[in-house]
Amino acid sequence: MVRKIWNEMKMQVTKSINKVLVSVVVPVWGAEKWLNECVESLVKQTLSDIEIILVDDGSKDRSGVMCDEWAKRDARIKVVHKENEGANSARWSGVQQAKGEWVAFCDADDRYELDGLERMYKAAIEGDETDLVIAFLEKPQLDRWLDLEECRESVLGEGRFPSSPYAKLYRLSLLKNDIFDISREIIVGEDAIVNTRVLFKTNRNPHFVFDKVYEYRRNKTSISHNECGGLDAQELFYTEQHRYISSQDYKKFLKKKKNYMKDN
């Protein structure tokens, strides 16, 4: 009870100091069918001290115009128009405009549960300081917080939580160019690369929300889902994923993985 009261007081103090608590970055491309539903889920969030950054990644449909229309309706919405360079580039463009202490990502054909950002933000300020909050796309089987080492092992292959950038909160100060500096030849797996770099850059344990906070829709024309790749792409992916991992850390992961497979 005491901890709950303290966290609520902490949240109110933070609100009074920082007008924008969470910046939500939305890469937009070919999303006119779903964009309104996505943005509506964000403007109606129970956590209202947010900004919404719509990054029009060179859309050929009405998505860019729709972004501008939303910006006229809600002062919390910013719009960035840029040439088409893919989801990773669009996210980085949005992060560069962000003013919040925390950053969340949302695909333009998806949506957040109406209290999704608030639940993640409360987890962010609970207990010890963290740089990352991990929530889920479905009710998870996982029922305990993983420490940093376990999270690193998960993103390198164990898959205890999704490697997607959505349903997560990232501390803005952690999201620098080195996180998003990924070869343009990568067409599959950018999300896993970003999260690998985040987890090997921070020295703090992530916090968790063991619940669904995000509604994922697979739209084949969206910026994130219209991808494919072969063996060369897979090799490039692993090169990029491991670029910021020390050989000592990776050897330690391989040893644990070998022991895990042996025991199971």
Side-chain angles (χ1 to χ4, degrees):
M1 178 61 71
V2 173
R3 171 175 283 189
K4 182 179 180 181
I5 294 173
W6 168 246
N7 285 334
E8 289 177 354
M9 290 174 61
K10 192 175 175 182
M11 188 170 181
Q12 292 301 319
V13 170
T14 306
K15 281 186 175 183
S16 67
I17 296 174
N18 300 316
K19 181 62 178 177
V20 178
L21 302 181
V22 177
S23 300
V24 187
V25 176
V26 185
V28 179
W29 187 86
E32 64 178 2
K33 183 177 180 180
W34 308 110
L35 184 60
N36 284 337
E37 187 177 342
C38 169
V39 179
E40 188 172 354
S41 80
L42 298 175
V43 299
K44 291 183 177 180
Q45 286 291 306
T46 55
L47 183 70
S48 59
D49 296 317
I50 66 174
E51 65 175 356
I52 302 161
I53 305 172
L54 305 177
V55 184
D56 170 28
D57 193 46
S59 296
K60 296 180 180 180
D61 61 2
R62 292 192 66 256
S63 295
V65 174
M66 294 168 67
C67 290
D68 292 333
E69 290 173 350
W70 270 106
K72 294 175 183 177
R73 295 167 58 181
D74 195 311
R76 298 173 298 171
I77 297 177
K78 300 178 183 179
V79 179
V80 177
H81 295 283
K82 62 184 292 296
E83 294 182 1
N84 178 254
E85 295 178 293
N88 183 65
S89 174
R91 290 186 186 115
W92 172 231
S93 295
V95 167
Q96 290 176 289
Q97 301 295 320
K99 303 298 182 185
E101 181 181 1
W102 297 90
V103 174
F105 296 105
C106 183
D107 277 2
D109 53 346
D110 298 338
R111 61 186 178 183
Y112 270 93
E113 301 286 339
L114 294 185
D115 62 346
L117 294 178
E118 182 174 7
R119 281 186 281 165
M120 290 195 297
Y121 180 74
K122 285 182 176 179
I125 63 173
E126 178 183 356
D128 297 333
E129 288 195 350
T130 187
D131 294 321
L132 175 66
V133 176
I134 298 171
F136 293 85
L137 312 181
E138 300 290 345
K139 187 71 176 177
Q141 294 183 344
L142 186 67
D143 59 359
R144 68 174 181 85
W145 286 22
L146 304 179
D147 62 26
L148 180 58
E149 189 70 20
E150 290 174 309
C151 288
R152 289 173 174 176
E153 292 167 5
S154 176
V155 80
L156 284 175
E158 291 188 3
R160 299 188 194 182
F161 55 84
S163 62
S164 55
Y166 23 82
K168 293 179 178 65
L169 277 188
Y170 301 85
R171 191 178 293 276
L172 175 61
S173 59
L174 200 70
L175 298 180
K176 303 300 182 183
N177 183 55
D178 60 329
I179 299 296
F180 297 92
D181 181 21
I182 299 172
S183 170
R184 287 288 305 278
E185 296 178 50
I186 293 284
I187 55 176
V188 175
E190 291 174 324
D191 301 346
I193 293 171
V194 166
N195 280 313
T196 300
R197 292 178 179 179
V198 166
L199 285 165
F200 278 87
K201 187 174 183 179
T202 184
N203 58 7
R204 296 168 172 168
N205 289 328
H207 291 184
F208 283 81
V209 175
F210 296 112
D211 205 355
K212 175 182 177 180
V213 302
Y214 188 91
E215 187 72 32
Y216 176 85
R217 176 187 288 116
R218 185 167 183 84
N219 167 26
K220 293 181 181 179
T221 62
S222 81
I223 193 170
S224 293
H225 304 148
N226 193 20
E227 300 173 338
C228 61
L231 291 176
D232 289 343
Q234 291 178 23
E235 183 177 349
L236 185 58
F237 163 77
Y238 287 116
T239 299
E240 288 286 337
Q241 186 185 38
H242 300 157
R243 181 153 42 120
Y244 291 95
I245 304 174
S246 70
S247 58
Q248 182 179 357
D249 284 336
Y250 192 59
K251 286 179 182 177
K252 184 165 58 175
F253 162 72
L254 289 177
K255 184 177 180 180
K256 284 191 174 182
K257 184 176 182 180
K258 184 177 180 180
N259 292 335
Y260 175 82
M261 293 177 69
K262 184 179 179 181
D263 293 339
N264 291 273

